[in-house]
Each structure stands twice: as C-alpha cells, then as structure tokens.
Amino acid sequence: YSSAPEYHRHSGPDKNLQVRPESQQVLSCTTWGSSLGSNTPCYIIDEKRTLKGYVELKEIILSDENVKIRDIMEEDIVCVKVDDDKEEVTQTFKKYDLSSIAVTNSDMKMLGIITADDIIDVIEEEATEDIEKMANVVPLDDDYFEVSTIKMFSKRIVWLVILLFASVFSTFILS
C-alpha cells in the first residue's frame, strides 16, 4: 500500500512493535472499530523513549484519518517508577481504575507496561502473605501442593505443639 505511513521499528525487547511519530496521521479503521469495548491505552514515546502521553486504542481507530496523534493524545498520564513497591503500584492501579500502567525510570523513559493480569497476581500473592501472617504461620516458599510433608510439618510445628498442650489441658479439666 503505497500511501501508508512510514513506521519506525521499536528498539526494545519487543521487536514486533511498530511506532509512528506523534505527528503521523491516524489511519481510518472505522468499519470494525466502533465495536471495540475496552479502553486500551497506546503509550506515546519519542525517539529517546521518553513517555509523552497515551491514546486510547478505540480513539485511534475511530478518529478521522487526517487527525494527528499529538492532537488526540492525553499528556496527563498516570505512570509508576521502576523502583516503586508492588503494593503502591497496586493501589495506583485501583485508584485510577486502569487496565494497564506505564513503567518509567526517573527520567520518564518508558521501560515497560504492567497489565491487569500482573496486578491480579500481585494481589493474590499479597493476600496469601497477609493471611499467613494473621494466622501466625511461617509462609511457604513454594506452592502448597509441591511442598513435602516434612517441610510442611516443620513450618507448622509450633502451632501443633501449642494445640496439643491446649487439647491435653482441656481434656484434663473436663475429666
């Protein structure tokens, strides 16, 4: 297609990603784009990988073909730093009700994206850890079904001994 815009290859780990300059015009794809339901952000970066903003995928698809990316992109972007704590990232995700969030360094260079799937894994991991702490049980390093009986017993021995003495004491009182 001879009139298609020129794309620039992304130099990061994902070699299949193609990036257009923010001044490039949007191609029209309105025949199927109106059925898109989710708000999937497309992050806009410059040649130096500095995060400039984002555009919802649906907005790109439904825009007129003469509209430039810089005219429809949102510059007020929520992102997290690469050294932010997992719980802080989860709270940011929850606060802004995001489907994905950009990860940057201190110079706003985009390093990656965290998706909702990643956040669900973190929430599950944190909830398991919190429940283990509330039960005063030493957390397991491995999956529950992969841990040997001996290792499980050694992690639980303190509570087993306390419950044994409590049972003996209550039996002694009741008899």
Side-chain angles (χ1 to χ4, degrees):
Y1 188 63
S2 61
S3 65
E6 179 183 339
Y7 290 92
H8 300 284
R9 283 267 174 215
H10 181 272
S11 61
D14 184 1
K15 300 296 183 194
N16 297 322
L17 181 65
Q18 295 181 343
V19 180
R20 294 189 302 182
E22 64 183 48
S23 61
Q24 193 66 54
Q25 294 176 342
V26 175
L27 295 176
S28 179
C29 300
T30 55
T31 54
W32 63 274
S34 59
S35 66
L36 268 177
S38 66
N39 294 330
T40 305
C42 297
Y43 296 99
I44 312 298
I45 57 174
D46 64 13
E47 309 81 37
K48 297 176 184 172
R49 302 193 46 80
T50 304
L51 184 60
K52 295 296 187 181
Y54 74 97
V55 179
E56 298 291 342
L57 179 60
K58 185 174 183 176
E59 192 172 343
I60 292 174
I61 292 171
L62 297 177
S63 293
D64 183 74
E65 62 185 47
N66 297 321
V67 173
K68 298 194 184 295
I69 295 290
R70 73 170 155 249
D71 295 335
I72 60 172
M73 78 176 187
E74 292 288 331
E75 294 178 7
D76 185 25
I77 187 166
V78 176
C79 62
V80 294
K81 302 295 181 211
V82 70
D83 54 354
D84 284 352
D85 183 59
K86 290 189 290 187
E87 289 183 4
E88 290 176 37
V89 173
T90 303
Q91 291 303 319
T92 303
F93 225 89
K94 182 179 173 183
K95 179 179 179 181
Y96 295 101
D97 195 27
L98 302 170
S99 61
S100 67
I101 192 167
V103 180
T104 62
N105 64 12
S106 58
D107 297 329
M108 289 300 287
K109 303 278 189 237
M110 188 156 169
L111 302 175
I113 298 171
I114 298 174
T115 63
D117 293 341
D118 300 325
I119 294 299
I120 290 170
D121 293 341
V122 169
I123 291 171
E124 182 180 330
E125 181 183 305
E126 295 295 329
T128 301
E129 185 179 305
D130 291 346
I131 290 170
E132 289 172 339
K133 285 180 182 176
M134 284 189 293
N136 203 15
V137 176
V138 179
L140 296 171
D141 299 328
D142 301 319
D143 187 32
Y144 181 79
F145 295 107
E146 296 175 4
V147 176
S148 69
T149 306
I150 295 170
K151 186 172 183 179
M152 184 77 74
F153 181 77
S154 68
K155 296 280 187 178
R156 310 289 194 259
I157 188 68
V158 173
W159 277 106
L160 292 173
V161 169
I162 291 171
L163 292 173
L164 176 67
F165 284 121
S167 175
V168 169
F169 180 70
S170 62
T171 304
F172 177 72
I173 290 176
L174 292 174
S175 58

